[in-house]
């Protein structure tokens, strides 16, 4: 049963702390996306990678957010320092070049910054 | 700018048919996707249109008119479990994946 996994599922932290979210894409998928979902802004694309190379991170606040793919089975999203306005659900999704019609979402990380 | 417009809420009765519309304004267009998201869950892919016309997948169908920058999702034989949010999304980059999501339509199915 191939699926995208994300850890942690929930994270509560204090303002100013570093937060790292991890994602394991579906084996064989070569494109990975990070989204942020809030009630006010909906689903926003933060960054995406193809074959581990960043293609677009224009949706990401560069001063505090960073996204990487150290290898094909791991994508990370870091926030340093975190702020209360970063509270949201962060989704990772993966897909296949040639099957751009659909993306497979992970269960999300619910982040609360106090 | 780039935007996708869809109704914020729709209510329908179990067994009925409901249509959720989506109009888009994007710099490029290479396909319209639909996703379903239950409360507390992740979006899951439902349907996709790259060309004009109707695509049918079981109880769900999706339609696209590129000349009108318009599409819709049609849900037939509604069931209580169809109560969820439905998002339209446009892929606006050829050969790529950059996807812009609408704000979502909350569907309430009543008994």
């Amino acid at each position: 049963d191939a699926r995208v996994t994300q850890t942690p599922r929930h994270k509560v932290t204090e303002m100013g702390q570093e937060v790292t979210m991890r994602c394991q894409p579906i084996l064989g998928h070569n494109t990975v996306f990070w989204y942020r979902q809030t009630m006010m802004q909906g689903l926003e694309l933060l960054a995406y990678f193809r074959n581990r190379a960043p293609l677009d991170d224009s949706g990401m606040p560069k001063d505090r957010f960073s996204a990487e793919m150290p290898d094909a089975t791991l994508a990370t999203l870091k926030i340093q320092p975190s702020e209360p306005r970063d509270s949201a659900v962060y989704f990772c999704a993966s897909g296949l070049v040639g099957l751009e019609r659909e993306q497979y979402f992970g269960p999300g990380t619910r982040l609360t910054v106090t | 700018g780039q935007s996708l417009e869809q109704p914020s809420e729709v209510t329908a009765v179990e067994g009925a048919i409901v249509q959720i519309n989506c109009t888009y304004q994007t710099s490029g267009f290479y396909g319209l996707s639909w996703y379903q998201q239950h409360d507390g869950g992740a979006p899951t892919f439902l349907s996709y249109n790259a060309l004009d016309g109707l695509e049918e997948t079981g109880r769900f169908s999706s339609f696209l008119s590129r000349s009108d920058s318009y599409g819709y999702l049609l849900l037939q034989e509604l069931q209580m479990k169809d109560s969820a949010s439905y998002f339209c999304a446009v892929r606006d980059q050829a050969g790529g994946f950059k996807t812009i999501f609408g704000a979502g339509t909350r569907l309430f199915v009543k008994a």
Side-chain angles (χ1 to χ4, degrees), chain B residues 15-74:
Chain B
I17 299 173
V18 72
Q19 179 174 311
I20 298 173
N21 299 321
C22 174
T23 57
Y24 57 87
Q25 184 176 358
T26 55
S27 56
F29 178 83
Y30 297 98
L32 179 69
S33 299
W34 289 92
Y35 287 80
Q36 178 191 60
Q37 185 179 28
H38 287 97
D39 285 347
T44 56
F45 172 79
L46 289 177
S47 190
Y48 176 78
N49 297 74
L51 302 176
D52 291 352
L54 191 68
E55 292 283 339
E56 297 182 70
T57 308
R59 294 189 297 116
F60 296 170
S61 303
S62 58
F63 171 83
L64 175 64
S65 169
R66 289 174 295 170
S67 60
D68 295 322
S69 298
Y70 165 76
Y72 66 72
L73 179 69
L74 193 72

Short mmCIF file of all heavy atoms in Angstrom, two decimals, chain B residues 15-74:
data_model
loop_
_atom_site.label_atom_id
_atom_site.label_comp_id
_atom_site.label_asym_id
_atom_site.label_seq_id
_atom_site.Cartn_x
_atom_site.Cartn_y
_atom_site.Cartn_z
N GLY B 15 -28.69 11.13 -2.34
CA GLY B 15 -29.30 10.57 -3.54
C GLY B 15 -29.41 11.56 -4.69
O GLY B 15 -29.66 11.15 -5.83
N ALA B 16 -29.22 12.83 -4.41
CA ALA B 16 -29.35 13.87 -5.44
C ALA B 16 -28.06 14.00 -6.24
O ALA B 16 -27.08 13.27 -6.04
CB ALA B 16 -29.72 15.19 -4.78
N ILE B 17 -28.10 14.95 -7.19
CA ILE B 17 -26.93 15.30 -8.01
C ILE B 17 -26.52 16.73 -7.65
O ILE B 17 -27.38 17.60 -7.49
CB ILE B 17 -27.27 15.23 -9.51
CG1 ILE B 17 -27.69 13.81 -9.91
CG2 ILE B 17 -26.08 15.69 -10.36
CD1 ILE B 17 -28.22 13.70 -11.33
N VAL B 18 -25.23 16.96 -7.54
CA VAL B 18 -24.77 18.31 -7.24
C VAL B 18 -23.61 18.67 -8.18
O VAL B 18 -22.83 17.80 -8.57
CB VAL B 18 -24.33 18.44 -5.77
CG1 VAL B 18 -23.03 17.71 -5.50
CG2 VAL B 18 -24.21 19.89 -5.36
N GLN B 19 -23.57 19.93 -8.56
CA GLN B 19 -22.52 20.42 -9.46
C GLN B 19 -21.74 21.51 -8.73
O GLN B 19 -22.34 22.45 -8.21
CB GLN B 19 -23.15 20.99 -10.73
CG GLN B 19 -22.17 21.57 -11.73
CD GLN B 19 -22.85 21.99 -13.03
OE1 GLN B 19 -23.61 21.24 -13.61
NE2 GLN B 19 -22.56 23.19 -13.49
N ILE B 20 -20.44 21.40 -8.73
CA ILE B 20 -19.57 22.40 -8.11
C ILE B 20 -18.76 23.07 -9.23
O ILE B 20 -18.01 22.41 -9.94
CB ILE B 20 -18.62 21.77 -7.09
CG1 ILE B 20 -19.43 21.12 -5.96
CG2 ILE B 20 -17.66 22.82 -6.52
CD1 ILE B 20 -18.59 20.33 -4.97
N ASN B 21 -18.95 24.36 -9.39
CA ASN B 21 -18.33 25.10 -10.47
C ASN B 21 -16.98 25.68 -10.08
O ASN B 21 -16.73 25.96 -8.90
CB ASN B 21 -19.25 26.23 -10.93
CG ASN B 21 -20.57 25.72 -11.45
OD1 ASN B 21 -20.63 24.70 -12.13
ND2 ASN B 21 -21.64 26.42 -11.10
N CYS B 22 -16.17 25.89 -11.08
CA CYS B 22 -14.84 26.49 -10.88
C CYS B 22 -14.50 27.33 -12.10
O CYS B 22 -14.53 26.84 -13.22
CB CYS B 22 -13.81 25.40 -10.68
SG CYS B 22 -12.09 25.97 -10.57
N THR B 23 -14.23 28.59 -11.88
CA THR B 23 -13.72 29.43 -12.95
C THR B 23 -12.30 29.84 -12.59
O THR B 23 -11.98 30.03 -11.41
CB THR B 23 -14.59 30.68 -13.17
OG1 THR B 23 -14.67 31.41 -11.93
CG2 THR B 23 -15.98 30.30 -13.61
N TYR B 24 -11.48 29.96 -13.60
CA TYR B 24 -10.07 30.22 -13.31
C TYR B 24 -9.54 31.35 -14.18
O TYR B 24 -10.03 31.60 -15.29
CB TYR B 24 -9.23 28.96 -13.49
CG TYR B 24 -9.32 28.34 -14.87
CD1 TYR B 24 -8.47 28.75 -15.90
CD2 TYR B 24 -10.25 27.35 -15.14
CE1 TYR B 24 -8.55 28.19 -17.16
CE2 TYR B 24 -10.34 26.78 -16.40
CZ TYR B 24 -9.50 27.20 -17.40
OH TYR B 24 -9.59 26.64 -18.65
N GLN B 25 -8.55 32.00 -13.64
CA GLN B 25 -7.82 33.03 -14.37
C GLN B 25 -6.35 32.82 -14.01
O GLN B 25 -5.92 33.15 -12.89
CB GLN B 25 -8.30 34.43 -13.96
CG GLN B 25 -7.63 35.53 -14.74
CD GLN B 25 -8.18 36.92 -14.39
OE1 GLN B 25 -9.09 37.05 -13.57
NE2 GLN B 25 -7.63 37.95 -14.99
N THR B 26 -5.61 32.24 -14.94
CA THR B 26 -4.21 31.92 -14.68
C THR B 26 -3.36 32.33 -15.86
O THR B 26 -3.86 32.48 -16.98
CB THR B 26 -4.03 30.41 -14.40
OG1 THR B 26 -4.57 29.67 -15.49
CG2 THR B 26 -4.74 30.00 -13.12
N SER B 27 -2.09 32.45 -15.64
CA SER B 27 -1.19 32.90 -16.70
C SER B 27 -1.02 31.82 -17.76
O SER B 27 -0.78 32.10 -18.92
CB SER B 27 0.16 33.28 -16.11
OG SER B 27 0.70 32.19 -15.37
N GLY B 28 -1.15 30.58 -17.38
CA GLY B 28 -1.09 29.47 -18.32
C GLY B 28 -2.11 28.43 -17.88
O GLY B 28 -2.63 28.50 -16.75
N PHE B 29 -2.39 27.50 -18.74
CA PHE B 29 -3.33 26.45 -18.36
C PHE B 29 -2.94 25.17 -19.04
O PHE B 29 -2.84 25.10 -20.27
CB PHE B 29 -4.76 26.83 -18.75
CG PHE B 29 -5.75 25.74 -18.42
CD1 PHE B 29 -6.28 25.62 -17.15
CD2 PHE B 29 -6.10 24.80 -19.37
CE1 PHE B 29 -7.15 24.60 -16.84
CE2 PHE B 29 -6.98 23.77 -19.08
CZ PHE B 29 -7.51 23.67 -17.81
N TYR B 30 -2.76 24.13 -18.21
CA TYR B 30 -2.42 22.83 -18.78
C TYR B 30 -3.20 21.70 -18.14
O TYR B 30 -2.84 20.55 -18.25
CB TYR B 30 -0.91 22.60 -18.68
CG TYR B 30 -0.16 23.62 -19.49
CD1 TYR B 30 0.39 24.75 -18.90
CD2 TYR B 30 -0.02 23.48 -20.86
CE1 TYR B 30 1.06 25.70 -19.65
CE2 TYR B 30 0.64 24.43 -21.62
CZ TYR B 30 1.17 25.54 -21.00
OH TYR B 30 1.82 26.48 -21.75
N GLY B 31 -4.28 22.05 -17.44
CA GLY B 31 -5.10 21.00 -16.88
C GLY B 31 -5.82 21.45 -15.62
O GLY B 31 -5.32 22.29 -14.87
N LEU B 32 -7.02 20.92 -15.42
CA LEU B 32 -7.83 21.22 -14.24
C LEU B 32 -8.05 19.93 -13.47
O LEU B 32 -8.57 18.95 -14.02
CB LEU B 32 -9.18 21.83 -14.66
CG LEU B 32 -10.15 22.18 -13.53
CD1 LEU B 32 -9.63 23.35 -12.71
CD2 LEU B 32 -11.51 22.51 -14.09
N SER B 33 -7.66 19.93 -12.21
CA SER B 33 -7.84 18.76 -11.35
C SER B 33 -8.86 19.06 -10.26
O SER B 33 -9.11 20.22 -9.93
CB SER B 33 -6.50 18.39 -10.68
OG SER B 33 -5.51 18.07 -11.61
N TRP B 34 -9.42 17.99 -9.74
CA TRP B 34 -10.33 18.09 -8.60
C TRP B 34 -9.84 17.17 -7.49
O TRP B 34 -9.46 16.02 -7.75
CB TRP B 34 -11.75 17.70 -9.01
CG TRP B 34 -12.41 18.70 -9.89
CD1 TRP B 34 -12.41 18.72 -11.26
CD2 TRP B 34 -13.17 19.84 -9.48
NE1 TRP B 34 -13.13 19.80 -11.72
CE2 TRP B 34 -13.60 20.51 -10.64
CE3 TRP B 34 -13.54 20.36 -8.23
CZ2 TRP B 34 -14.37 21.67 -10.61
CZ3 TRP B 34 -14.31 21.51 -8.19
CH2 TRP B 34 -14.72 22.15 -9.37
N TYR B 35 -9.91 17.70 -6.26
CA TYR B 35 -9.51 16.95 -5.09
C TYR B 35 -10.62 17.00 -4.05
O TYR B 35 -11.34 17.99 -3.95
CB TYR B 35 -8.22 17.54 -4.47
CG TYR B 35 -6.97 17.27 -5.27
CD1 TYR B 35 -6.65 18.03 -6.38
CD2 TYR B 35 -6.10 16.25 -4.89
CE1 TYR B 35 -5.50 17.78 -7.11
CE2 TYR B 35 -4.95 15.99 -5.61
CZ TYR B 35 -4.65 16.76 -6.72
OH TYR B 35 -3.51 16.51 -7.44
N GLN B 36 -10.69 15.93 -3.28
CA GLN B 36 -11.64 15.84 -2.18
C GLN B 36 -10.85 15.82 -0.87
O GLN B 36 -9.80 15.18 -0.79
CB GLN B 36 -12.45 14.55 -2.28
CG GLN B 36 -13.44 14.31 -1.16
CD GLN B 36 -13.99 12.88 -1.19
OE1 GLN B 36 -13.24 11.91 -1.09
NE2 GLN B 36 -15.30 12.75 -1.35
N GLN B 37 -11.36 16.54 0.13
CA GLN B 37 -10.70 16.52 1.43
C GLN B 37 -11.75 16.43 2.53
O GLN B 37 -12.57 17.34 2.68
CB GLN B 37 -9.83 17.77 1.63
CG GLN B 37 -9.02 17.75 2.92
CD GLN B 37 -8.16 18.98 3.10
OE1 GLN B 37 -8.46 20.06 2.59
NE2 GLN B 37 -7.04 18.83 3.82
N HIS B 38 -11.70 15.35 3.30
CA HIS B 38 -12.55 15.24 4.48
C HIS B 38 -11.88 15.97 5.64
O HIS B 38 -10.66 16.15 5.67
CB HIS B 38 -12.78 13.77 4.84
CG HIS B 38 -13.70 13.06 3.91
ND1 HIS B 38 -13.27 12.28 2.86
CD2 HIS B 38 -15.06 13.04 3.85
CE1 HIS B 38 -14.31 11.79 2.22
NE2 HIS B 38 -15.41 12.25 2.79
N ASP B 39 -12.71 16.37 6.60
CA ASP B 39 -12.21 17.09 7.77
C ASP B 39 -11.09 16.30 8.43
O ASP B 39 -11.25 15.11 8.74
CB ASP B 39 -13.33 17.33 8.79
CG ASP B 39 -14.27 18.43 8.35
OD1 ASP B 39 -13.93 19.16 7.40
OD2 ASP B 39 -15.34 18.56 8.97
N GLY B 40 -9.98 16.96 8.65
CA GLY B 40 -8.85 16.32 9.32
C GLY B 40 -8.03 15.41 8.43
O GLY B 40 -7.05 14.81 8.89
N GLY B 41 -8.43 15.31 7.16
CA GLY B 41 -7.72 14.42 6.25
C GLY B 41 -6.89 15.16 5.24
O GLY B 41 -6.78 16.39 5.27
N ALA B 42 -6.32 14.41 4.34
CA ALA B 42 -5.50 14.97 3.27
C ALA B 42 -6.30 15.05 1.98
O ALA B 42 -7.23 14.27 1.78
CB ALA B 42 -4.26 14.12 3.06
N PRO B 43 -5.97 15.97 1.10
CA PRO B 43 -6.63 15.99 -0.21
C PRO B 43 -6.35 14.70 -0.97
O PRO B 43 -5.23 14.20 -0.95
CB PRO B 43 -5.99 17.20 -0.90
CG PRO B 43 -5.44 18.04 0.20
CD PRO B 43 -5.03 17.09 1.27
N THR B 44 -7.37 14.19 -1.64
CA THR B 44 -7.19 13.02 -2.50
C THR B 44 -7.71 13.35 -3.89
O THR B 44 -8.74 14.01 -4.05
CB THR B 44 -7.92 11.79 -1.95
OG1 THR B 44 -9.30 12.11 -1.78
CG2 THR B 44 -7.36 11.35 -0.63
N PHE B 45 -6.98 12.87 -4.87
CA PHE B 45 -7.29 13.17 -6.26
C PHE B 45 -8.59 12.51 -6.70
O PHE B 45 -8.85 11.35 -6.38
CB PHE B 45 -6.13 12.68 -7.14
CG PHE B 45 -6.40 12.74 -8.61
CD1 PHE B 45 -6.30 13.94 -9.29
CD2 PHE B 45 -6.76 11.61 -9.31
CE1 PHE B 45 -6.54 14.02 -10.65
CE2 PHE B 45 -7.00 11.66 -10.67
CZ PHE B 45 -6.89 12.87 -11.34
N LEU B 46 -9.41 13.28 -7.44
CA LEU B 46 -10.67 12.74 -7.95
C LEU B 46 -10.68 12.63 -9.47
O LEU B 46 -11.08 11.61 -10.02
CB LEU B 46 -11.84 13.63 -7.52
CG LEU B 46 -12.26 13.65 -6.06
CD1 LEU B 46 -13.39 14.66 -5.87
CD2 LEU B 46 -12.69 12.26 -5.61
N SER B 47 -10.32 13.73 -10.13
CA SER B 47 -10.53 13.78 -11.58
C SER B 47 -9.64 14.84 -12.20
O SER B 47 -9.17 15.75 -11.51
CB SER B 47 -12.00 14.09 -11.87
OG SER B 47 -12.31 13.93 -13.22
N TYR B 48 -9.47 14.75 -13.52
CA TYR B 48 -8.59 15.66 -14.23
C TYR B 48 -9.09 15.86 -15.65
O TYR B 48 -9.51 14.90 -16.31
CB TYR B 48 -7.17 15.08 -14.26
CG TYR B 48 -6.15 15.87 -15.05
CD1 TYR B 48 -5.59 17.02 -14.52
CD2 TYR B 48 -5.74 15.45 -16.32
CE1 TYR B 48 -4.64 17.74 -15.22
CE2 TYR B 48 -4.79 16.17 -17.02
CZ TYR B 48 -4.24 17.30 -16.47
OH TYR B 48 -3.30 18.02 -17.17
N ASN B 49 -9.03 17.10 -16.11
CA ASN B 49 -9.36 17.43 -17.50
C ASN B 49 -8.24 18.29 -18.09
O ASN B 49 -7.90 19.33 -17.52
CB ASN B 49 -10.67 18.23 -17.58
CG ASN B 49 -11.87 17.48 -17.08
OD1 ASN B 49 -12.04 17.29 -15.88
ND2 ASN B 49 -12.72 17.06 -17.99
N ALA B 50 -7.72 17.83 -19.19
CA ALA B 50 -6.76 18.65 -19.94
C ALA B 50 -7.41 19.20 -21.20
O ALA B 50 -7.03 20.27 -21.70
CB ALA B 50 -5.53 17.84 -20.32
N LEU B 51 -8.39 18.49 -21.71
CA LEU B 51 -9.10 18.90 -22.93
C LEU B 51 -10.57 19.16 -22.62
O LEU B 51 -11.10 18.68 -21.61
CB LEU B 51 -8.98 17.80 -23.98
CG LEU B 51 -7.56 17.42 -24.38
CD1 LEU B 51 -7.59 16.24 -25.36
CD2 LEU B 51 -6.82 18.60 -24.99
N ASP B 52 -11.22 19.89 -23.50
CA ASP B 52 -12.64 20.20 -23.31
C ASP B 52 -13.46 18.92 -23.29
O ASP B 52 -13.18 17.96 -24.00
CB ASP B 52 -13.14 21.09 -24.46
CG ASP B 52 -12.55 22.48 -24.40
OD1 ASP B 52 -11.87 22.81 -23.42
OD2 ASP B 52 -12.76 23.25 -25.37
N GLY B 53 -14.49 18.96 -22.47
CA GLY B 53 -15.40 17.83 -22.46
C GLY B 53 -15.57 17.25 -21.07
O GLY B 53 -15.14 17.82 -20.07
N LEU B 54 -16.22 16.11 -21.06
CA LEU B 54 -16.61 15.46 -19.82
C LEU B 54 -15.76 14.21 -19.58
O LEU B 54 -15.56 13.41 -20.48
CB LEU B 54 -18.09 15.06 -19.91
CG LEU B 54 -18.79 14.60 -18.64
CD1 LEU B 54 -18.93 15.76 -17.66
CD2 LEU B 54 -20.17 14.04 -18.99
N GLU B 55 -15.27 14.09 -18.35
CA GLU B 55 -14.56 12.89 -17.92
C GLU B 55 -15.40 12.23 -16.83
O GLU B 55 -15.81 12.90 -15.89
CB GLU B 55 -13.18 13.24 -17.36
CG GLU B 55 -12.18 13.75 -18.36
CD GLU B 55 -11.60 12.64 -19.21
OE1 GLU B 55 -11.66 11.47 -18.77
OE2 GLU B 55 -11.09 12.95 -20.31
N GLU B 56 -15.64 10.94 -16.97
CA GLU B 56 -16.47 10.26 -15.99
C GLU B 56 -15.68 9.20 -15.24
O GLU B 56 -14.96 8.40 -15.85
CB GLU B 56 -17.67 9.59 -16.68
CG GLU B 56 -18.59 10.60 -17.36
CD GLU B 56 -19.80 9.95 -18.01
OE1 GLU B 56 -20.67 9.47 -17.27
OE2 GLU B 56 -19.87 9.92 -19.25
N THR B 57 -15.83 9.23 -13.91
CA THR B 57 -15.17 8.24 -13.07
C THR B 57 -16.17 7.80 -12.01
O THR B 57 -16.29 8.42 -10.96
CB THR B 57 -13.92 8.85 -12.38
OG1 THR B 57 -13.10 9.46 -13.35
CG2 THR B 57 -13.14 7.75 -11.68
N GLY B 58 -16.92 6.76 -12.31
CA GLY B 58 -17.91 6.28 -11.36
C GLY B 58 -18.99 7.31 -11.13
O GLY B 58 -19.58 7.84 -12.06
N ARG B 59 -19.24 7.65 -9.88
CA ARG B 59 -20.29 8.63 -9.56
C ARG B 59 -19.83 10.06 -9.81
O ARG B 59 -20.65 10.98 -9.79
CB ARG B 59 -20.70 8.48 -8.10
CG ARG B 59 -21.38 7.18 -7.74
CD ARG B 59 -21.94 7.21 -6.33
NE ARG B 59 -20.91 7.38 -5.32
CZ ARG B 59 -20.81 8.44 -4.52
NH1 ARG B 59 -21.65 9.47 -4.65
NH2 ARG B 59 -19.86 8.49 -3.60
N PHE B 60 -18.54 10.24 -10.02
CA PHE B 60 -18.00 11.60 -10.21
C PHE B 60 -17.69 11.84 -11.68
O PHE B 60 -17.13 10.98 -12.36
CB PHE B 60 -16.73 11.79 -9.38
CG PHE B 60 -16.89 11.70 -7.89
CD1 PHE B 60 -15.78 11.65 -7.06
CD2 PHE B 60 -18.14 11.68 -7.30
CE1 PHE B 60 -15.92 11.58 -5.68
CE2 PHE B 60 -18.30 11.61 -5.92
CZ PHE B 60 -17.18 11.56 -5.12
N SER B 61 -18.02 13.03 -12.15
CA SER B 61 -17.67 13.45 -13.50
C SER B 61 -17.09 14.85 -13.41
O SER B 61 -17.45 15.62 -12.52
CB SER B 61 -18.90 13.47 -14.40
OG SER B 61 -19.55 12.23 -14.45
N SER B 62 -16.23 15.18 -14.34
CA SER B 62 -15.69 16.53 -14.38
C SER B 62 -15.74 17.04 -15.81
O SER B 62 -15.53 16.29 -16.75
CB SER B 62 -14.27 16.58 -13.83
OG SER B 62 -13.42 15.72 -14.55
N PHE B 63 -16.02 18.33 -15.92
CA PHE B 63 -16.19 18.95 -17.23
C PHE B 63 -15.25 20.14 -17.34
O PHE B 63 -14.97 20.82 -16.36
CB PHE B 63 -17.64 19.42 -17.40
CG PHE B 63 -17.88 20.26 -18.62
CD1 PHE B 63 -18.09 19.66 -19.84
CD2 PHE B 63 -17.87 21.65 -18.54
CE1 PHE B 63 -18.30 20.42 -20.98
CE2 PHE B 63 -18.07 22.43 -19.67
CZ PHE B 63 -18.30 21.82 -20.90
N LEU B 64 -14.80 20.39 -18.56
CA LEU B 64 -13.93 21.54 -18.81
C LEU B 64 -14.33 22.24 -20.11
O LEU B 64 -14.59 21.59 -21.12
CB LEU B 64 -12.47 21.08 -18.92
CG LEU B 64 -11.45 22.14 -19.30
CD1 LEU B 64 -11.34 23.22 -18.22
CD2 LEU B 64 -10.08 21.51 -19.56
N SER B 65 -14.33 23.57 -20.04
CA SER B 65 -14.44 24.41 -21.23
C SER B 65 -13.29 25.41 -21.16
O SER B 65 -13.33 26.37 -20.37
CB SER B 65 -15.78 25.15 -21.26
OG SER B 65 -15.77 26.14 -22.28
N ARG B 66 -12.27 25.19 -21.94
CA ARG B 66 -11.11 26.07 -21.91
C ARG B 66 -11.42 27.46 -22.45
O ARG B 66 -10.89 28.46 -21.97
CB ARG B 66 -9.95 25.44 -22.69
CG ARG B 66 -9.33 24.24 -21.98
CD ARG B 66 -8.29 23.56 -22.84
NE ARG B 66 -8.92 22.98 -24.02
CZ ARG B 66 -8.24 22.49 -25.05
NH1 ARG B 66 -6.91 22.50 -25.04
NH2 ARG B 66 -8.87 21.96 -26.08
N SER B 67 -12.33 27.54 -23.42
CA SER B 67 -12.67 28.85 -23.98
C SER B 67 -13.38 29.73 -22.95
O SER B 67 -13.28 30.95 -22.99
CB SER B 67 -13.54 28.70 -25.22
OG SER B 67 -14.75 28.03 -24.90
N ASP B 68 -14.07 29.09 -22.02
CA ASP B 68 -14.77 29.83 -20.96
C ASP B 68 -13.99 29.88 -19.67
O ASP B 68 -14.46 30.47 -18.68
CB ASP B 68 -16.14 29.20 -20.69
CG ASP B 68 -17.08 29.30 -21.88
OD1 ASP B 68 -17.05 30.34 -22.56
OD2 ASP B 68 -17.82 28.33 -22.14
N SER B 69 -12.82 29.26 -19.63
CA SER B 69 -12.02 29.16 -18.39
C SER B 69 -12.89 28.65 -17.26
O SER B 69 -12.93 29.22 -16.16
CB SER B 69 -11.42 30.53 -18.04
OG SER B 69 -10.55 30.97 -19.05
N TYR B 70 -13.54 27.56 -17.51
CA TYR B 70 -14.59 27.08 -16.61
C TYR B 70 -14.59 25.56 -16.56
O TYR B 70 -14.38 24.89 -17.57
CB TYR B 70 -15.94 27.60 -17.12
CG TYR B 70 -17.16 26.93 -16.54
CD1 TYR B 70 -17.59 27.20 -15.26
CD2 TYR B 70 -17.89 26.02 -17.32
CE1 TYR B 70 -18.73 26.58 -14.74
CE2 TYR B 70 -19.02 25.41 -16.82
CZ TYR B 70 -19.43 25.70 -15.53
OH TYR B 70 -20.55 25.09 -15.03
N GLY B 71 -14.85 25.06 -15.38
CA GLY B 71 -15.02 23.63 -15.24
C GLY B 71 -15.98 23.34 -14.11
O GLY B 71 -16.35 24.24 -13.33
N TYR B 72 -16.42 22.12 -14.03
CA TYR B 72 -17.25 21.74 -12.89
C TYR B 72 -17.04 20.28 -12.55
O TYR B 72 -16.60 19.47 -13.37
CB TYR B 72 -18.75 22.03 -13.14
CG TYR B 72 -19.43 21.25 -14.23
CD1 TYR B 72 -19.73 19.90 -14.09
CD2 TYR B 72 -19.81 21.87 -15.41
CE1 TYR B 72 -20.38 19.18 -15.10
CE2 TYR B 72 -20.45 21.18 -16.43
CZ TYR B 72 -20.73 19.84 -16.26
OH TYR B 72 -21.37 19.14 -17.27
N LEU B 73 -17.37 19.98 -11.31
CA LEU B 73 -17.37 18.62 -10.79
C LEU B 73 -18.82 18.24 -10.54
O LEU B 73 -19.55 18.99 -9.90
CB LEU B 73 -16.56 18.53 -9.49
CG LEU B 73 -16.48 17.16 -8.83
CD1 LEU B 73 -15.64 16.20 -9.67
CD2 LEU B 73 -15.88 17.28 -7.43
N LEU B 74 -19.21 17.10 -11.04
CA LEU B 74 -20.58 16.62 -10.89
C LEU B 74 -20.55 15.37 -10.02
O LEU B 74 -19.83 14.41 -10.33
CB LEU B 74 -21.19 16.30 -12.26
CG LEU B 74 -22.68 16.09 -12.33
CD1 LEU B 74 -23.41 17.43 -12.14
CD2 LEU B 74 -23.08 15.47 -13.67
#
